[in-house]
Amino acid sequence: MQDLFLRACRREAVERMPVWYMRQAGRYQPEYRRIRERHTLLDICRNPALCAEVTRLPVEQLGVDAAILFSDIMVPVGAMGASFEIREGVGPVVAQPIRTAADVAQLRPLDPDRDVPYVLEAVERLASTLEVPLIGFAGAPFTLASYLVEGRPSRDYLQVKRLMWADPEAWRALMEVLSDMVVTYLTAQVRAGCSAVQVFDSWVGALSVIDYDQYVFPYMQYIFSRLRPLNVPLIYFGVTTGELLPRMAETGATVIGLDWRVRIRDARARTGDRTALQGNLDPALLVAPWSQVEAHARRIIEEGSEAPGFIFNLGHGVIPEADPETLKRLTAFVHDYSEHYLASRRRGVQQ
Ligand code: CP3
C-alpha cells in the first residue's frame, strides 16, 4: 500500500506532499448524483457495497493519496437511540432534541458489531482492496451535541451553549456518553482496517478558548489518550479554530486539520512541533479561475514544506458547485509542484 499519507502524518520525510479532500465523495460528482437518485444518503451509508463504491470513486478519479470512509457523523448517534434524518440542503434534523439530563440518559452506549455492522463491513471490503490508506472518522462530542441539542444546524449554538452553562451535570453526562462512543467506534474502525482516523469537530470554533478548556478539552484529551495505543494517526479538525489551535494541539491528536482562515506558518507557531498539520485551501476557490487556485495552492505547499509533516487538503469539505476537473488538476498540481519544491529544498540544504 502506498504510504505517503501515513508518513507525512508521522512527520517523516516525503518525496512529494500527500493530498486528499474532505467530502471528496459527494454531490459535485455526476456519478454520486446518479446513485443519489435511487438511494438516500443513509441508504448508501448502510449498504457496504454501495458505500465502498462511493468511497473508492474519488480515489480512482482524482488520484488522491488517501480514501475517507463514506458515512456521516450522525450514523452512530442514530444507533444510540437519537432518531434523525438528513434533509437535503439543510443537514441533520433530530426528531427529539436533547435538552435535559433525562434526555441524555436515554442515549445508549454504542456496540459497533451490533449497531453498525454495515460500517465495519464496508471498512473491511475497502481496506483489503484499496491501494491507498483508508481514513475512518467520527464526529467530536461538541459537534455531535450541537446537532443533538439544537435539533438541526445552527448559526449561534444558543441551545447547546445554554445546556453547557445551565446544567453542567447534564453536559458532562452528554460529553461522556459521546466520548465513549467516539472511542469505541473509532477503535472498531481501526480493527476493521482503517489506517488513520479523523475526528470532525467542525463547529467547536463557536466556543471561546476559556469555554473550550472547561467544557470540551478534557473529553478530547480522554478520547485521544484512549485511541493512542492503536498506533494510527489521529487527526483533529474544526472550522474557525484559529484561537483554539494551541489547546487542540495539546489534546493528544497527532495531526491538526486547519480551515482556510489561518496561515500555515501561524498555525505552526501556535501548535508548536507537537503535531503534523493538514489543510487548508479555501473550498470556495474551487469555483475561482485556475490561476487563483494555483497561487493559493503554491503558497500552502511552500509554507507546508517548512517543517516535516504536512498533508494538503481543503480548509473544509468540497462544495457541490466544484468542477471535478478542477480537483483533478489541483491534485496533479500538488503532486508535481511539491515534488520539485521539496527536491530543490533538499539540494538547498545540502549546499
Ligand atoms: O469526506 C467524505 O467524502 C466522507 C463523507 C462525509 C459525509 N459527511 C457525507 C455527507 C463526511 C466526512 C461527513 C461528516 C459530516 N457530516 C460532518 C463533518 C464534516 C463537515 O463537513 O464539517 C458534518 C458537520 C456532517 C453533518 C451533515 N451531513 C451536513 C452539514 C450535511 C450537508 C447537508 C446538505 O445537504 O448540504 C450532511 C449531509 C451529507 N453528508 C452529504 C454528504 C456527501 C451531502 C450530500 C447528500 O445529501 O448526498
Side-chain angles (χ1 to χ4, degrees):
M1 186 172 66
Q2 193 240 88
D3 69 344
L4 199 63
F5 163 76
L6 298 174
R7 273 154 53 207
C9 288
R10 293 192 297 254
R11 294 189 293 152
E12 293 167 11
V14 287
E15 53 288 356
R16 61 179 170 81
M17 192 173 272
V19 47
W20 69 279
Y21 307 108
M22 295 183 275
R23 290 267 170 95
Q24 62 191 15
R27 279 169 297 188
Y28 80 96
Q29 297 169 298
E31 298 85 353
Y32 179 82
R33 292 197 298 269
R34 223 167 294 132
I35 293 172
R36 282 282 278 109
E37 283 168 16
R38 285 174 290 119
H39 306 276
T40 67
L41 174 76
L42 293 173
D43 287 342
I44 304 172
C45 298
R46 291 178 184 141
N47 178 327
L50 261 181
C51 171
E53 182 186 339
V54 171
T55 301
R56 202 176 276 122
L57 203 61
V59 179
E60 288 161 3
Q61 286 180 338
L62 305 176
V64 286
D65 301 291
I68 179 156
L69 174 70
F70 188 85
S71 191
D72 194 87
I73 56 168
M74 295 301 284
V75 166
V77 285
M80 292 167 78
S83 126
F84 74 97
E85 56 174 322
I86 291 187
R87 272 194 214 149
E88 181 105 40
V90 178
V93 176
V94 176
Q96 286 165 323
I98 290 177
R99 298 284 161 85
T100 64
D103 296 338
V104 176
Q106 297 291 313
L107 291 172
R108 320 181 271 277
L110 184 80
D111 175 348
D113 291 322
R114 189 194 62 206
D115 295 330
V116 286
Y118 42 87
V119 172
L120 304 181
E121 193 184 327
V123 170
E124 281 164 14
R125 278 172 189 244
L126 284 159
S128 58
T129 50
L130 279 170
E131 282 169 15
V132 294
L134 177 64
I135 304 168
F137 74 89
F142 178 85
T143 293
L144 292 172
S146 80
Y147 289 113
L148 291 171
V149 178
E150 300 288 338
R152 53 191 305 127
S154 168
R155 263 176 210 287
D156 48 24
Y157 305 95
L158 273 188
Q159 295 301 327
V160 70
K161 289 183 182 180
R162 189 199 61 80
L163 181 73
M164 182 179 93
W165 288 317
D167 193 343
E169 279 310 307
W171 180 257
R172 193 210 312 206
L174 180 57
M175 290 294 102
E176 283 179 358
V177 73
L178 292 172
S179 299
D180 280 324
M181 178 281 282
V182 172
V183 169
T184 311
Y185 187 43
L186 292 180
T187 301
Q189 290 181 40
V190 171
R191 290 203 180 120
C194 288
S195 307
V197 294
Q198 176 154 324
V199 181
F200 282 96
D201 213 349
S202 305
W203 314 135
V204 77
L207 293 180
S208 69
V209 190
I210 305 287
D211 286 320
Y212 179 84
D213 265 346
Q214 185 169 347
Y215 296 105
V216 174
F217 180 83
Y219 306 101
M220 298 314 301
Q221 204 173 33
Y222 167 80
I223 289 170
F224 291 120
S225 72
R226 293 278 311 273
L227 296 175
R228 189 114 199 165
L230 296 171
N231 228 342
V232 298
L234 309 171
I235 314 170
Y236 184 27
F237 166 79
V239 179
T240 49
T241 54
E243 297 296 327
L244 304 181
L245 289 174
R247 302 300 291 143
M248 290 173 73
E250 283 178 6
T251 57
T254 62
V255 184
I256 299 293
L258 307 171
D259 87 347
W260 63 93
R261 292 171 180 87
V262 61
R263 218 184 150 119
I264 308 295
R265 215 170 264 164
D266 296 335
R268 203 168 260 132
R270 291 176 203 171
T271 53
D273 57 6
R274 289 167 291 212
T275 62
L277 296 177
Q278 171 177 281
N280 70 344
L281 191 82
D282 187 341
L285 276 163
L286 297 174
V287 296
W290 173 255
S291 59
Q292 289 294 328
V293 180
E294 193 180 295
H296 285 79
R298 185 173 301 187
R299 189 185 47 76
I300 291 170
I301 293 164
E302 291 174 2
E303 290 193 18
S305 304
E306 285 170 5
F310 192 85
I311 301 104
F312 193 99
N313 204 313
L314 302 176
H316 201 178
V318 177
I319 51 176
E321 296 81 1
D323 181 344
E325 285 308 313
T326 307
L327 275 172
K328 206 168 155 180
R329 193 172 175 188
L330 175 61
T331 310
F333 177 77
V334 174
H335 284 160
D336 293 345
Y337 185 68
S338 67
E339 191 170 342
H340 286 109
Y341 188 76
L342 288 164
S344 70
R345 268 180 71 94
R346 274 195 304 273
R347 280 195 303 274
V349 167
Q350 276 160 16
Q351 276 160 17

